[in-house]
Amino acid sequence: MKVELRESNDGSSTLYNVDLDETYHSVHGAIQEAKHVFIEAGLKNVLELKTDINILEIGFGTGLNALLTVQELLPKNHIQVNYIGVEKYPVEEVNWKSVNYTEILGGKSYFESMHYAPWEKFNSITENFRLLKTTEDILQYKNENSFDIIYFDAFSPTSQPEIWCVPVFKNMYDSLKPGGVIVTYCAKGQVRRDLQSIGFNMERLPGPPGKREMLRGTK
């Protein structure tokens, strides 16, 4: 898989997947998008309600969403997080080392610890953040009533339609605890209708720079 480094409009890096002709993050601002969709509309939606949070990320990729999550939790050491990142094609070391997230955000030691951590087992990144990275196929992934929030950050439905489908969404629904939420940058009408058809209470929310809307669903 050929990957190239690109700069997004907020000055933060993204990677470009040549085979899929798609970037890992928004060209309008990689960090801006991740913060807006997954932290502001996602994580903060549950932080005030729970002290033990289980997070599932579909598309671990560069680790940006995980880094932002760690940093959001640093002053909240009473909250414990178990974070599972699903990534069938792990980003190679030369590529994750090329992005400039820690130059902008800090947290270099956490970022490196996440990437060097062994796969398929839980690793303690901080006192209150445990990470498990897995290459398990998302088409088969299911862990019933386990998660408080899902970051659905796969490549777009155009590039990977097999992931943005009802069977996968049903697995996501079943994997969430009652009241759990799924957030995604994608706002396509068909995606919203498919999520709604399996039971999610769907919301259209204002999108990050460059996108009019994003989606959030509640079980």
Side-chain angles (χ1 to χ4, degrees):
M1 184 179 294
K2 186 177 180 182
V3 174
E4 298 175 355
L5 184 68
R6 300 282 175 89
E7 182 177 309
S8 68
N9 289 350
D10 67 357
S12 60
S13 305
T14 187
L15 298 177
Y16 171 69
N17 185 310
V18 177
D19 297 333
L20 295 179
D21 187 26
E22 189 163 335
T23 54
Y24 278 67
H25 303 286
S26 171
V27 295
H28 298 284
I31 289 177
Q32 284 183 141
E33 178 194 49
K35 280 185 175 179
H36 182 98
V37 175
F38 301 107
I39 305 303
E40 297 297 328
L43 180 62
K44 289 186 176 181
N45 200 48
V46 298
L47 272 182
E48 295 182 1
L49 304 175
K50 297 175 180 288
T51 55
D52 290 286
I53 300 173
N54 294 329
I55 299 174
L56 173 65
E57 179 179 16
I58 304 304
F60 182 78
T62 63
L64 175 56
N65 296 333
L67 175 63
L68 290 170
T69 300
V70 167
Q71 293 191 312
E72 185 66 28
L73 292 167
L74 285 177
K76 304 176 178 67
N77 55 18
H78 65 289
I79 296 176
Q80 296 294 317
V81 167
N82 294 313
Y83 192 109
I84 296 180
V86 179
E87 179 57 66
K88 191 173 182 180
Y89 303 104
V91 173
E92 294 182 5
E93 182 176 352
V94 66
N95 292 318
W96 64 255
K97 277 189 170 181
S98 71
V99 299
N100 64 356
Y101 305 145
T102 60
E103 295 171 27
I104 297 171
L105 299 168
K108 182 178 180 180
S109 62
Y110 306 130
F111 189 68
E112 291 185 346
S113 293
M114 289 189 295
H115 280 289
Y116 285 131
W119 287 72
E120 311 302 340
K121 61 179 285 187
F122 269 108
N123 302 270
S124 293
I125 306 303
T126 71
E127 289 185 358
N128 63 330
F129 184 94
R130 296 170 70 237
L131 170 68
L132 183 155
K133 301 178 296 182
T134 179
T135 57
E136 189 169 352
D137 190 339
I138 187 54
L139 300 176
Q140 308 298 326
Y141 191 85
K142 191 172 185 178
N143 201 337
E144 291 192 6
N145 298 312
S146 297
F147 298 101
D148 299 286
I149 183 166
I150 294 174
Y151 299 166
F152 204 90
D153 198 20
F155 285 117
S156 74
T158 302
S159 297
Q160 293 185 318
E162 70 279 6
I163 292 178
W164 300 80
C165 63
V166 169
V168 170
F169 294 155
K170 181 64 166 60
N171 283 350
M172 297 299 98
Y173 185 87
D174 291 342
S175 295
L176 282 168
K177 299 175 184 177
V181 297
I182 183 170
V183 284
T184 180
Y185 65 88
C186 181
K188 285 184 175 293
Q190 188 60 55
V191 170
R192 178 181 57 80
R193 289 189 292 272
D194 286 344
L195 287 165
Q196 194 166 16
S197 74
I198 58 175
F200 280 107
N201 178 19
M202 297 304 300
E203 302 173 82
R204 294 189 187 94
L205 302 177
K211 288 187 69 69
R212 187 166 61 90
E213 294 179 334
M214 58 162 285
L215 296 176
R216 180 169 66 198
T218 303
K219 180 175 177 178

